[in-house]
Amino acid sequence: MTEKLDLIIGMTASISIYKTLEIIRLFKKSGVNVIPVMTQDAKRFISPLLVSSLSESDVYSDMFDESGGKFYHIMLSRGAGAILIAPATANTIAKIANGFADNLLTSIVLASEIPVIIAPAMNVRMFENRITQQNISRLKKLDRFKFVMPESGELACGDIGTGRLADISDIFDYSMCFLHKYRILQGKKIMVSAGPTREFMDTVRFLSNPSSGKMGYELARVAHWLGADVTLVSGPVNIKPPHGVRVINVVSASEMQKAILNENRKYDLLIMNAAISDWRFKKVADKKLKRDGKTIDVELIENNDILKRAVQSRRFRFTLGFAAESENLLRNAKEKVTKKGIDGIIVNNIRRSDVGFASDFNEGKIILKDGSEIDIERCSKREMAYKIFEAIGERL
Ligand SMILES: Cc1cc2nc3c(=O)[nH]c(=O)nc-3n(C[C@H](O)[C@H](O)[C@H](O)COP(=O)(O)O)c2cc1C
């Protein structure tokens, strides 16, 4: 990612504050520069030393810095893309809703115009109290304030009800959408396919491959952060869907084909990242087959080339394939671009065990129809997703 992302994380005095440490870690892992601002009461729950170690930043808390000349409440938000307040106490929400600026965090909010994402966490009675609800409604009416609402369940105090801090990965995903100033995919409709497919032989056995779906999920996630309306068609994987992305779950190649081809919607881009089985069993037994000491012959028939059909459907303005190759990488990839009529392909070498299938890392080359080739050195799959969109964003 070439864009530098700065986020102010406001931490207030809720019992769920320990979860913010994990949120900070998620942002740091994505290359975001985190600027922590803690209320005085928040510092009674956890040590600023812990926060500063994890965020690799000074922790800001004091409005009245005695060293002089530092207007932190004005300075800190300059250059930041957004403010995330997680957890947000009833007290801090009330102060912001009423324009108070009696500490560093509330002053920063009042002295800036950048988006503020608020993740409330509190006891159910505090949350459902009409005063808190009115404060939240008041802020929601202003475009700048966005809420990741709390979940319901058992609360730290033992009560059951709504008030538990939202899932940290949802808070992270949602905030990332507001952090990018250059939303290069704003308004674009993008479909991504991900994961493996399963071709059943009987009721329990199937033909599949080791695709984890990580690359496709990162593509969907990053596309959404960059402003796109994203549909993710996913084979069976073990990953939580990214917040804000429409997911269509499928199992077999034929289900994947239906999900991709049978919709009426037009898309600006289709990225075919799923590792779709090239074959399926000719006969599928309707019960679990039993062994009886004999060899069994199975016949495999070829599945349709979904990407080729997608091109023919003319519903996708730009089509990008992935090619996992073990030999003649470039020649095979270039042939695929021509044969399938696609706009480009991302080729990676499946002989490498440190990248690709199931790994968190990838490397490859983007080969476009117009002859351009862009190398992507070994990087995380998230970073690779950014690089792909940076390379093709202007062509969409
Ligand atoms: C153990 C304990 C847990 C608390 N948890 C919460 C909470 O989850 N949410 C909340 O709104 N207030 C909670 N409070 C009350 C706040 O800490 C209190 O209103 C504080 O003044 C808020 O300060 P701040 O908004 O400036 O951080 C808790 C208080 C204590 C002692």
Side-chain angles (χ1 to χ4, degrees):
M1 171 187 33
T2 44
E3 191 185 349
K4 190 173 155 290
L5 302 179
D6 290 331
L7 173 74
I8 294 178
I9 293 197
M11 301 169 70
T12 67
S14 153
I15 192 91
S16 62
I17 196 166
Y18 66 95
K19 295 181 184 170
T20 312
L21 302 174
E22 194 58 31
I23 298 177
I24 290 174
R25 225 180 55 84
L26 291 176
F27 282 111
K28 292 298 292 180
K29 230 176 119 186
S30 283
V32 175
N33 179 35
V34 169
I35 306 156
V37 177
M38 296 177 79
T39 61
Q40 293 301 337
D41 284 348
K43 290 195 291 186
R44 300 175 68 167
F45 279 86
I46 52 171
S47 151
L49 178 63
L50 189 54
V51 177
S52 107
S53 308
L54 281 175
S55 60
E56 298 171 284
S57 159
D58 289 340
V59 172
Y60 299 90
S61 194
D62 197 356
M63 274 270 280
F64 304 99
D65 190 305
E66 306 263 314
S67 57
K70 295 198 180 85
F71 290 72
Y72 284 134
H73 63 296
I74 312 289
M75 268 168 53
L76 287 179
S77 63
R78 280 193 198 140
I83 302 168
L84 164 66
I85 307 181
T89 55
N91 175 56
T92 291
I93 294 170
K95 284 185 185 178
I96 296 172
N98 290 285
F100 279 77
D102 65 345
N103 63 28
L104 185 59
L105 179 59
T106 50
S107 301
I108 290 172
V109 170
L110 205 60
S112 66
E113 293 287 331
I114 54 179
V116 183
I117 301 109
I118 299 179
M122 62 199 70
N123 169 273
V124 56
R125 282 186 295 281
M126 285 174 99
F127 180 68
E128 287 178 354
N129 193 304
R130 281 180 58 193
I131 301 172
T132 305
Q133 289 301 317
Q134 277 168 10
N135 289 332
I136 292 175
S137 304
R138 193 166 186 184
L139 288 172
K140 274 188 175 171
K141 286 192 192 114
L142 306 174
D143 215 30
R144 191 181 156 215
F145 294 93
K146 316 283 174 193
F147 280 80
V148 190
M149 291 306 255
E151 293 175 349
S152 83
E154 194 180 342
L155 306 174
C157 55
D159 283 353
I160 293 182
T162 306
R164 196 167 65 193
L165 187 72
D167 185 280
I168 55 168
S169 65
D170 288 347
I171 295 174
F172 162 73
D173 263 332
Y174 188 67
S175 308
M176 285 299 283
C177 294
F178 298 97
L179 211 46
H180 288 277
K181 289 196 198 93
Y182 307 106
R183 287 162 64 88
I184 54 173
L185 301 178
Q186 186 67 47
K188 303 286 178 206
K189 288 195 177 61
I190 296 183
M191 183 179 264
V192 180
S193 73
T197 57
R198 288 178 182 173
E199 307 302 325
F200 277 84
M201 171 184 163
D202 63 11
T203 49
V204 292
R205 299 179 183 94
F206 54 80
L207 174 69
S208 191
N209 61 67
S211 167
S212 63
K214 284 180 189 167
M215 187 67 239
Y217 273 62
E218 288 303 334
L219 284 161
R221 182 191 305 276
V222 171
H224 180 58
W225 290 348
L226 293 173
D229 170 356
V230 184
T231 301
L232 174 63
V233 181
S234 173
V237 296
N238 256 331
I239 317 177
K240 187 175 181 279
H243 186 83
V245 166
R246 182 168 76 115
V247 183
I248 305 175
N249 287 307
V250 298
V251 176
S252 63
S254 80
E255 284 178 23
M256 180 138 323
Q257 174 173 324
K258 269 191 218 131
I260 294 173
L261 298 180
N262 288 11
E263 253 196 15
N264 279 330
R265 236 169 151 214
K266 293 209 165 191
Y267 286 86
D268 297 288
L269 170 66
L270 169 68
I271 307 184
M272 231 16 192
N273 177 251
I276 301 164
S277 174
D278 287 324
W279 299 278
R280 66 180 185 278
F281 292 97
K282 189 167 182 191
K283 276 194 205 137
V284 182
D286 58 6
K287 58 178 189 306
K288 183 176 173 230
L289 295 172
K290 294 236 180 302
R291 47 195 273 163
D292 61 1
K294 290 188 206 137
T295 306
I296 54 165
D297 288 327
V298 289
E299 225 180 313
L300 293 172
I301 49 174
E302 220 172 77
N303 280 327
N304 290 328
D305 184 335
I306 304 176
L307 186 51
K308 198 168 168 187
R309 287 181 178 225
V311 174
Q312 287 160 355
S313 77
R314 297 179 177 274
R315 281 183 34 244
F316 303 94
R317 267 200 318 110
F318 200 95
T319 45
L320 210 54
F322 264 77
E325 300 283 351
S326 52
E327 56 236 0
N328 299 325
L329 309 194
L330 288 187
R331 206 188 61 213
N332 288 351
K334 282 178 187 168
E335 253 175 48
K336 273 189 186 162
V337 173
T338 325
K339 260 187 20 210
K340 292 176 193 268
I342 53 182
D343 296 287
I345 202 156
I346 296 141
V347 56
N348 39 39
N349 185 350
I350 50 171
R351 287 223 171 140
R352 293 265 308 270
S353 59
D354 57 336
V355 293
F357 272 147
S359 159
D360 284 336
F361 294 88
N362 214 347
E363 94 172 7
K365 193 191 253 300
I366 309 175
I367 298 170
L368 296 177
K369 192 168 70 178
D370 62 15
S372 39
E373 294 183 12
I374 302 138
D375 281 313
I376 302 179
E377 284 175 13
R378 186 179 186 275
C379 59
S380 72
K381 288 186 171 172
R382 183 163 300 167
E383 192 65 23
M384 182 149 180
Y386 273 112
K387 288 187 174 154
I388 291 168
F389 292 124
E390 278 164 13
I392 62 161
E394 278 185 10
R395 297 167 206 254
L396 299 180

Short mmCIF file of all heavy atoms in Angstrom, two decimals, residues 111-155:
data_model
loop_
_atom_site.label_atom_id
_atom_site.label_comp_id
_atom_site.label_asym_id
_atom_site.label_seq_id
_atom_site.Cartn_x
_atom_site.Cartn_y
_atom_site.Cartn_z
N ALA A 111 -12.30 19.56 17.52
CA ALA A 111 -11.43 20.46 16.76
C ALA A 111 -11.05 19.90 15.38
O ALA A 111 -10.14 20.39 14.75
CB ALA A 111 -10.15 20.72 17.56
N SER A 112 -11.75 18.85 14.94
CA SER A 112 -11.41 18.30 13.62
C SER A 112 -12.69 17.96 12.85
O SER A 112 -13.79 18.02 13.40
CB SER A 112 -10.55 17.04 13.78
OG SER A 112 -11.31 16.03 14.38
N GLU A 113 -12.49 17.59 11.59
CA GLU A 113 -13.64 17.31 10.71
C GLU A 113 -13.60 15.87 10.21
O GLU A 113 -14.46 15.45 9.45
CB GLU A 113 -13.58 18.22 9.47
CG GLU A 113 -13.79 19.70 9.75
CD GLU A 113 -15.24 20.01 10.08
OE1 GLU A 113 -16.11 19.29 9.57
OE2 GLU A 113 -15.47 20.94 10.86
N ILE A 114 -12.59 15.11 10.62
CA ILE A 114 -12.41 13.76 10.06
C ILE A 114 -13.46 12.79 10.62
O ILE A 114 -14.04 13.04 11.70
CB ILE A 114 -10.98 13.21 10.31
CG1 ILE A 114 -10.62 13.27 11.80
CG2 ILE A 114 -9.97 13.96 9.48
CD1 ILE A 114 -9.24 12.72 12.12
N PRO A 115 -13.73 11.68 9.93
CA PRO A 115 -14.73 10.72 10.42
C PRO A 115 -14.39 10.18 11.81
O PRO A 115 -13.21 9.98 12.12
CB PRO A 115 -14.68 9.58 9.40
CG PRO A 115 -14.02 10.14 8.19
CD PRO A 115 -13.13 11.24 8.65
N VAL A 116 -15.44 9.98 12.61
CA VAL A 116 -15.26 9.40 13.94
C VAL A 116 -16.07 8.10 14.00
O VAL A 116 -17.29 8.12 13.78
CB VAL A 116 -15.76 10.36 15.05
CG1 VAL A 116 -15.49 9.75 16.43
CG2 VAL A 116 -15.10 11.73 14.93
N ILE A 117 -15.39 7.01 14.25
CA ILE A 117 -16.07 5.72 14.36
C ILE A 117 -16.17 5.42 15.85
O ILE A 117 -15.15 5.42 16.56
CB ILE A 117 -15.30 4.60 13.63
CG1 ILE A 117 -15.14 4.96 12.16
CG2 ILE A 117 -16.01 3.25 13.75
CD1 ILE A 117 -13.78 5.33 11.75
N ILE A 118 -17.38 5.17 16.31
CA ILE A 118 -17.59 4.97 17.75
C ILE A 118 -18.07 3.54 18.00
O ILE A 118 -19.05 3.09 17.41
CB ILE A 118 -18.64 5.99 18.28
CG1 ILE A 118 -18.12 7.42 18.06
CG2 ILE A 118 -18.96 5.74 19.75
CD1 ILE A 118 -19.07 8.52 18.51
N ALA A 119 -17.36 2.84 18.86
CA ALA A 119 -17.75 1.47 19.23
C ALA A 119 -18.12 1.47 20.72
O ALA A 119 -17.24 1.30 21.58
CB ALA A 119 -16.62 0.50 18.94
N PRO A 120 -19.40 1.67 21.05
CA PRO A 120 -19.80 1.75 22.46
C PRO A 120 -19.65 0.41 23.17
O PRO A 120 -19.76 -0.65 22.56
CB PRO A 120 -21.29 2.14 22.40
CG PRO A 120 -21.56 2.52 20.98
CD PRO A 120 -20.55 1.80 20.15
N ALA A 121 -19.39 0.48 24.47
CA ALA A 121 -19.36 -0.73 25.30
C ALA A 121 -19.77 -0.30 26.70
O ALA A 121 -19.18 0.62 27.27
CB ALA A 121 -17.97 -1.34 25.33
N MET A 122 -20.80 -0.94 27.21
CA MET A 122 -21.26 -0.57 28.56
C MET A 122 -22.30 -1.57 29.05
O MET A 122 -22.75 -2.44 28.28
CB MET A 122 -21.86 0.84 28.54
CG MET A 122 -23.07 0.99 27.65
SD MET A 122 -23.42 2.70 27.20
CE MET A 122 -22.11 3.12 26.09
N ASN A 123 -22.69 -1.42 30.28
CA ASN A 123 -23.75 -2.23 30.87
C ASN A 123 -25.06 -2.01 30.09
O ASN A 123 -25.31 -0.91 29.58
CB ASN A 123 -23.92 -1.81 32.33
CG ASN A 123 -25.15 -2.40 32.95
OD1 ASN A 123 -26.23 -1.82 32.86
ND2 ASN A 123 -24.99 -3.54 33.58
N VAL A 124 -25.89 -3.06 30.01
CA VAL A 124 -27.12 -2.98 29.21
C VAL A 124 -28.04 -1.83 29.65
O VAL A 124 -28.64 -1.15 28.81
CB VAL A 124 -27.87 -4.35 29.20
CG1 VAL A 124 -28.18 -4.84 30.61
CG2 VAL A 124 -29.14 -4.28 28.39
N ARG A 125 -28.11 -1.59 30.95
CA ARG A 125 -29.00 -0.51 31.39
C ARG A 125 -28.46 0.86 31.02
O ARG A 125 -29.20 1.76 30.67
CB ARG A 125 -29.29 -0.62 32.90
CG ARG A 125 -30.34 -1.71 33.19
CD ARG A 125 -30.74 -1.75 34.64
NE ARG A 125 -29.63 -2.12 35.50
CZ ARG A 125 -29.20 -3.38 35.67
NH1 ARG A 125 -29.82 -4.37 35.06
NH2 ARG A 125 -28.18 -3.64 36.46
N MET A 126 -27.13 0.97 31.06
CA MET A 126 -26.52 2.24 30.61
C MET A 126 -26.78 2.42 29.11
O MET A 126 -27.08 3.51 28.64
CB MET A 126 -25.00 2.23 30.84
CG MET A 126 -24.58 2.41 32.26
SD MET A 126 -22.79 2.21 32.39
CE MET A 126 -22.22 3.89 32.39
N PHE A 127 -26.65 1.31 28.36
CA PHE A 127 -26.80 1.40 26.90
C PHE A 127 -28.25 1.70 26.52
O PHE A 127 -28.52 2.54 25.66
CB PHE A 127 -26.33 0.11 26.24
CG PHE A 127 -26.45 0.14 24.74
CD1 PHE A 127 -25.64 0.98 23.99
CD2 PHE A 127 -27.37 -0.66 24.07
CE1 PHE A 127 -25.75 1.04 22.61
CE2 PHE A 127 -27.49 -0.61 22.70
CZ PHE A 127 -26.68 0.24 21.96
N GLU A 128 -29.19 0.99 27.18
CA GLU A 128 -30.60 1.17 26.80
C GLU A 128 -31.22 2.42 27.40
O GLU A 128 -32.33 2.81 27.04
CB GLU A 128 -31.40 -0.08 27.18
CG GLU A 128 -31.05 -1.23 26.24
CD GLU A 128 -31.75 -2.54 26.57
OE1 GLU A 128 -32.44 -2.60 27.62
OE2 GLU A 128 -31.58 -3.49 25.79
N ASN A 129 -30.54 3.03 28.32
CA ASN A 129 -31.04 4.27 28.93
C ASN A 129 -31.37 5.29 27.84
O ASN A 129 -30.60 5.49 26.91
CB ASN A 129 -29.97 4.84 29.87
CG ASN A 129 -30.53 5.91 30.76
OD1 ASN A 129 -31.09 6.90 30.28
ND2 ASN A 129 -30.41 5.70 32.06
N ARG A 130 -32.53 5.93 27.98
CA ARG A 130 -32.95 6.85 26.91
C ARG A 130 -31.95 7.99 26.70
O ARG A 130 -31.81 8.52 25.60
CB ARG A 130 -34.35 7.41 27.21
CG ARG A 130 -35.40 6.37 26.84
CD ARG A 130 -36.79 6.83 27.11
NE ARG A 130 -37.12 8.06 26.39
CZ ARG A 130 -38.19 8.78 26.68
NH1 ARG A 130 -39.00 8.43 27.65
NH2 ARG A 130 -38.44 9.88 25.99
N ILE A 131 -31.25 8.34 27.77
CA ILE A 131 -30.27 9.44 27.62
C ILE A 131 -29.16 9.00 26.66
O ILE A 131 -28.81 9.72 25.73
CB ILE A 131 -29.67 9.82 29.00
CG1 ILE A 131 -30.78 10.26 29.95
CG2 ILE A 131 -28.63 10.93 28.84
CD1 ILE A 131 -30.32 10.47 31.38
N THR A 132 -28.63 7.78 26.89
CA THR A 132 -27.57 7.27 26.00
C THR A 132 -28.10 7.12 24.58
O THR A 132 -27.45 7.51 23.60
CB THR A 132 -27.04 5.91 26.51
OG1 THR A 132 -26.62 6.08 27.85
CG2 THR A 132 -25.89 5.39 25.69
N GLN A 133 -29.31 6.55 24.47
CA GLN A 133 -29.89 6.35 23.13
C GLN A 133 -30.09 7.68 22.40
O GLN A 133 -29.84 7.78 21.20
CB GLN A 133 -31.22 5.58 23.23
CG GLN A 133 -31.04 4.11 23.60
CD GLN A 133 -30.17 3.36 22.59
OE1 GLN A 133 -30.31 3.51 21.38
NE2 GLN A 133 -29.24 2.56 23.08
N GLN A 134 -30.51 8.70 23.15
CA GLN A 134 -30.70 10.01 22.51
C GLN A 134 -29.35 10.60 22.07
O GLN A 134 -29.23 11.19 21.00
CB GLN A 134 -31.37 10.99 23.48
CG GLN A 134 -32.89 10.83 23.49
CD GLN A 134 -33.56 11.56 24.64
OE1 GLN A 134 -32.92 12.36 25.33
NE2 GLN A 134 -34.84 11.30 24.84
N ASN A 135 -28.33 10.38 22.89
CA ASN A 135 -26.99 10.88 22.52
C ASN A 135 -26.49 10.21 21.25
O ASN A 135 -25.93 10.84 20.36
CB ASN A 135 -26.00 10.64 23.67
CG ASN A 135 -26.26 11.57 24.85
OD1 ASN A 135 -26.79 12.67 24.66
ND2 ASN A 135 -25.91 11.12 26.04
N ILE A 136 -26.73 8.88 21.18
CA ILE A 136 -26.29 8.14 19.98
C ILE A 136 -27.06 8.62 18.75
O ILE A 136 -26.48 8.90 17.69
CB ILE A 136 -26.46 6.61 20.20
CG1 ILE A 136 -25.45 6.12 21.26
CG2 ILE A 136 -26.27 5.83 18.90
CD1 ILE A 136 -25.58 4.66 21.67
N SER A 137 -28.41 8.76 18.89
CA SER A 137 -29.23 9.21 17.75
C SER A 137 -28.77 10.59 17.29
O SER A 137 -28.72 10.87 16.09
CB SER A 137 -30.70 9.33 18.11
OG SER A 137 -31.15 8.15 18.61
N ARG A 138 -28.46 11.42 18.22
CA ARG A 138 -28.04 12.79 17.90
C ARG A 138 -26.76 12.76 17.04
O ARG A 138 -26.66 13.47 16.04
CB ARG A 138 -27.76 13.51 19.21
CG ARG A 138 -27.63 14.98 19.06
CD ARG A 138 -27.69 15.58 20.44
NE ARG A 138 -27.72 17.01 20.33
CZ ARG A 138 -27.69 17.80 21.38
NH1 ARG A 138 -27.66 17.30 22.59
NH2 ARG A 138 -27.70 19.10 21.22
N LEU A 139 -25.83 11.93 17.44
CA LEU A 139 -24.57 11.85 16.69
C LEU A 139 -24.78 11.18 15.33
O LEU A 139 -24.16 11.56 14.33
CB LEU A 139 -23.51 11.09 17.50
CG LEU A 139 -22.95 11.86 18.69
CD1 LEU A 139 -22.06 10.95 19.54
CD2 LEU A 139 -22.16 13.08 18.23
N LYS A 140 -25.68 10.19 15.29
CA LYS A 140 -25.91 9.47 14.03
C LYS A 140 -26.46 10.41 12.96
O LYS A 140 -26.31 10.16 11.76
CB LYS A 140 -26.89 8.32 14.25
CG LYS A 140 -26.22 7.04 14.72
CD LYS A 140 -27.24 5.93 14.72
CE LYS A 140 -26.62 4.61 15.06
NZ LYS A 140 -27.64 3.57 15.27
N LYS A 141 -27.14 11.47 13.41
CA LYS A 141 -27.71 12.41 12.43
C LYS A 141 -26.62 13.23 11.74
O LYS A 141 -26.84 13.81 10.68
CB LYS A 141 -28.69 13.36 13.12
CG LYS A 141 -30.00 12.69 13.46
CD LYS A 141 -31.06 13.69 13.87
CE LYS A 141 -32.24 12.96 14.47
NZ LYS A 141 -32.44 13.23 15.88
N LEU A 142 -25.46 13.29 12.35
CA LEU A 142 -24.34 14.01 11.73
C LEU A 142 -23.54 13.01 10.91
O LEU A 142 -23.16 11.96 11.42
CB LEU A 142 -23.45 14.66 12.80
CG LEU A 142 -24.18 15.57 13.79
CD1 LEU A 142 -23.23 16.04 14.88
CD2 LEU A 142 -24.75 16.77 13.06
N ASP A 143 -23.30 13.33 9.66
CA ASP A 143 -22.67 12.41 8.73
C ASP A 143 -21.32 11.87 9.21
O ASP A 143 -20.92 10.76 8.90
CB ASP A 143 -22.48 13.15 7.41
CG ASP A 143 -22.66 12.20 6.26
OD1 ASP A 143 -23.45 11.26 6.44
OD2 ASP A 143 -21.98 12.38 5.24
N ARG A 144 -20.65 12.66 9.99
CA ARG A 144 -19.27 12.37 10.37
C ARG A 144 -19.14 11.22 11.37
O ARG A 144 -18.09 10.61 11.48
CB ARG A 144 -18.75 13.67 11.00
CG ARG A 144 -17.33 13.71 11.22
CD ARG A 144 -16.95 15.01 11.87
NE ARG A 144 -15.72 14.80 12.56
CZ ARG A 144 -15.39 15.37 13.70
NH1 ARG A 144 -16.20 16.23 14.28
NH2 ARG A 144 -14.24 15.11 14.27
N PHE A 145 -20.21 10.97 12.11
CA PHE A 145 -20.13 9.96 13.18
C PHE A 145 -20.72 8.63 12.73
O PHE A 145 -21.86 8.57 12.28
CB PHE A 145 -20.84 10.46 14.45
CG PHE A 145 -20.14 11.65 15.05
CD1 PHE A 145 -20.53 12.94 14.71
CD2 PHE A 145 -19.08 11.48 15.91
CE1 PHE A 145 -19.87 14.04 15.24
CE2 PHE A 145 -18.41 12.57 16.44
CZ PHE A 145 -18.81 13.86 16.11
N LYS A 146 -19.93 7.59 12.84
CA LYS A 146 -20.37 6.25 12.44
C LYS A 146 -20.28 5.34 13.66
O LYS A 146 -19.34 5.47 14.45
CB LYS A 146 -19.44 5.66 11.36
CG LYS A 146 -19.07 6.64 10.26
CD LYS A 146 -20.19 6.82 9.28
CE LYS A 146 -19.89 7.90 8.27
NZ LYS A 146 -21.04 8.30 7.48
N PHE A 147 -21.23 4.43 13.78
CA PHE A 147 -21.25 3.55 14.96
C PHE A 147 -21.05 2.09 14.58
O PHE A 147 -21.59 1.63 13.59
CB PHE A 147 -22.58 3.69 15.70
CG PHE A 147 -22.64 4.92 16.57
CD1 PHE A 147 -22.91 6.17 16.02
CD2 PHE A 147 -22.38 4.84 17.93
CE1 PHE A 147 -22.92 7.31 16.81
CE2 PHE A 147 -22.39 5.98 18.73
CZ PHE A 147 -22.67 7.22 18.17
N VAL A 148 -20.26 1.39 15.36
CA VAL A 148 -20.23 -0.07 15.28
C VAL A 148 -20.90 -0.49 16.58
O VAL A 148 -20.31 -0.43 17.66
CB VAL A 148 -18.79 -0.63 15.23
CG1 VAL A 148 -18.82 -2.13 14.91
CG2 VAL A 148 -17.94 0.10 14.20
N MET A 149 -22.17 -0.86 16.44
CA MET A 149 -23.00 -1.04 17.64
C MET A 149 -22.60 -2.28 18.46
O MET A 149 -22.11 -3.26 17.90
CB MET A 149 -24.47 -1.12 17.24
CG MET A 149 -24.99 0.22 16.74
SD MET A 149 -24.70 1.55 17.94
CE MET A 149 -26.33 1.76 18.57
N PRO A 150 -22.84 -2.21 19.77
CA PRO A 150 -22.45 -3.34 20.63
C PRO A 150 -23.31 -4.58 20.38
O PRO A 150 -24.41 -4.49 19.84
CB PRO A 150 -22.66 -2.80 22.04
CG PRO A 150 -23.57 -1.65 21.91
CD PRO A 150 -23.43 -1.10 20.52
N GLU A 151 -22.77 -5.70 20.82
CA GLU A 151 -23.48 -6.98 20.65
C GLU A 151 -24.24 -7.31 21.92
O GLU A 151 -23.98 -6.72 22.97
CB GLU A 151 -22.47 -8.09 20.42
CG GLU A 151 -21.74 -7.94 19.12
CD GLU A 151 -20.64 -8.96 18.95
OE1 GLU A 151 -20.31 -9.66 19.93
OE2 GLU A 151 -20.13 -9.05 17.82
N SER A 152 -25.13 -8.28 21.80
CA SER A 152 -25.79 -8.70 23.04
C SER A 152 -25.22 -10.03 23.51
O SER A 152 -24.64 -10.79 22.73
CB SER A 152 -27.30 -8.66 22.86
OG SER A 152 -27.77 -9.72 22.31
N GLY A 153 -25.33 -10.28 24.79
CA GLY A 153 -24.76 -11.49 25.37
C GLY A 153 -24.49 -11.25 26.84
O GLY A 153 -25.01 -10.29 27.43
N GLU A 154 -23.65 -12.10 27.42
CA GLU A 154 -23.33 -11.92 28.83
C GLU A 154 -22.30 -10.80 28.97
O GLU A 154 -21.30 -10.77 28.25
CB GLU A 154 -22.78 -13.22 29.42
CG GLU A 154 -22.78 -13.14 30.93
CD GLU A 154 -22.26 -14.40 31.61
OE1 GLU A 154 -22.20 -15.46 30.97
OE2 GLU A 154 -21.91 -14.28 32.80
N LEU A 155 -22.55 -9.86 29.87
CA LEU A 155 -21.66 -8.71 30.04
C LEU A 155 -20.72 -8.96 31.21
O LEU A 155 -20.96 -9.84 32.04
CB LEU A 155 -22.49 -7.44 30.27
CG LEU A 155 -23.55 -7.19 29.18
CD1 LEU A 155 -24.43 -6.01 29.54
CD2 LEU A 155 -22.88 -6.95 27.83
#
